[in-house]
Amino acid sequence: LAKTTQPISMDSYEGQEVNITCSHNNIATNDYITWYQQFPSQGPRFIIQGYKTKVTNEVASLFIPADRKSSTLSLPRVSLSDTAVYYCLVVTGGGNKLTFGTGTQLKVEL
Amino acid sequence: NAGVTQTPKFRVLKTGQSMTLLCAQDMNHEYMYWYRQDPGMGLRLIHYSVGEGTTAKGEVPDGYNVSRLKKQNFLLGLESAAPSQTSVYFCASSYTTVRGNQPQHFGDGTRLSIL
């Protein structure tokens, strides 16, 4: 199984950019990295995914360096409503091995 | 369109009792998954299914059984509940994926306490 590591928590203020990094070893060239957001008493919700370089959508960007040993979720101009736990997911072994990170609790303050 | 629905939402069991958690999805997804979530440990895969009639073990399968008799339903069973199985259980579904490139859709969880 791939091993994934994330910071336990991060603090930020409204309007700032937040970068959350997930370290992952043992992933193949085309294995995808996916990020999810989870609010209390809810299931995780998809944010963004990619397998190389940079991906951007309307809510976030995902940066994956060439060595693919880590990935960084970037949230531009966070607001109070972005306070949540963020998880990275790595899928390896041809889709049969799923490893979630332990999650990063992001707290956004005024 | 309800997405992924889990029943029940809460349950308290005594050690040794059995129960079944039901997951239903209305998105015609091939893949379905059962996870448990414990403090400080993220989500860990218990079992998954890549299609009707198929199941496979995940990272922490011991003490659980699953069945996928219909494409839209995935059942998780605890034959003899133990306090270590106290957790929040999440079901998810996705389209067919080999490289992990299909996002998973999650239910809102079942909170299970075993005394």
Side-chain angles (χ1 to χ4, degrees):
Chain A
L1 280 180
K3 180 177 174 61
T4 58
T5 305
Q6 300 178 233
I8 294 174
S9 64
M10 297 183 70
D11 295 328
S12 184
Y13 294 97
E14 275 201 318
Q16 291 189 330
E17 178 184 77
V18 171
N19 295 309
I20 305 174
T21 297
C22 175
S23 298
H24 32 73
N25 59 8
N26 198 30
I27 66 171
T29 303
N30 294 324
D31 288 338
Y32 270 71
I33 299 137
T34 307
W35 284 83
Y36 292 85
Q37 176 191 56
Q38 186 179 28
F39 297 111
S41 300
Q42 295 184 20
R45 185 176 66 179
F46 170 81
I47 301 174
I48 195 168
Q49 70 175 177
Y51 71 99
K52 65 176 181 180
T53 58
K54 177 183 176 182
V55 179
T56 297
N57 63 21
E58 63 275 11
V59 299
S61 294
L62 176 61
F63 298 92
I64 303 169
D67 66 7
R68 292 169 49 78
K69 292 185 176 180
S70 66
S71 62
T72 299
L73 172 70
S74 181
L75 305 172
R77 299 178 299 280
V78 294
S79 64
L80 294 175
S81 63
D82 292 317
T83 294
V85 180
Y86 293 83
Y87 291 95
C88 63
L89 167 66
V90 174
V91 181
T92 59
N96 295 327
K97 306 296 183 185
L98 291 82
T99 305
F100 270 92
T102 51
T104 299
Q105 172 69 63
L106 172 65
K107 181 179 180 182
V108 180
E109 300 175 289
L110 289 173
Chain B
N1 189 341
V4 177
T5 303
Q6 293 184 233
T7 53
K9 297 188 184 304
F10 305 93
R11 186 72 183 269
V12 178
L13 290 178
K14 293 181 179 180
T15 298
Q17 288 185 317
S18 64
M19 80 160 295
T20 301
L21 280 65
L22 172 65
C23 177
Q25 54 94 5
D26 60 3
M27 295 170 284
N28 202 34
H29 286 164
E30 288 291 336
Y31 282 40
M32 296 188 75
Y33 315 81
W34 274 108
Y35 294 91
R36 61 177 290 173
Q37 186 174 43
D38 302 294
M41 302 191 73
L43 291 103
R44 293 182 292 169
L45 183 65
I46 305 172
H47 286 280
Y48 65 99
S49 168
V50 300
E52 181 178 319
T54 72
T55 63
K57 294 180 179 179
E59 180 185 355
V60 289
D62 294 342
Y64 305 95
N65 57 75
V66 288
S67 63
R68 183 101 180 265
L69 299 179
K70 294 182 179 181
K71 185 177 182 178
Q72 63 268 35
N73 295 336
F74 196 27
L75 279 63
L76 177 70
L78 285 73
E79 291 186 347
S80 179
S84 61
Q85 294 177 305
T86 293
S87 188
V88 181
Y89 292 85
F90 286 99
C91 176
S93 69
S94 74
Y95 289 112
T96 301
T97 179
V98 174
R99 296 163 54 196
N101 61 334
Q102 295 295 335
Q104 295 180 35
H105 298 256
F106 284 82
D108 283 335
T110 294
R111 284 146 188 81
L112 182 61
S113 293
I114 299 163
L115 307 177

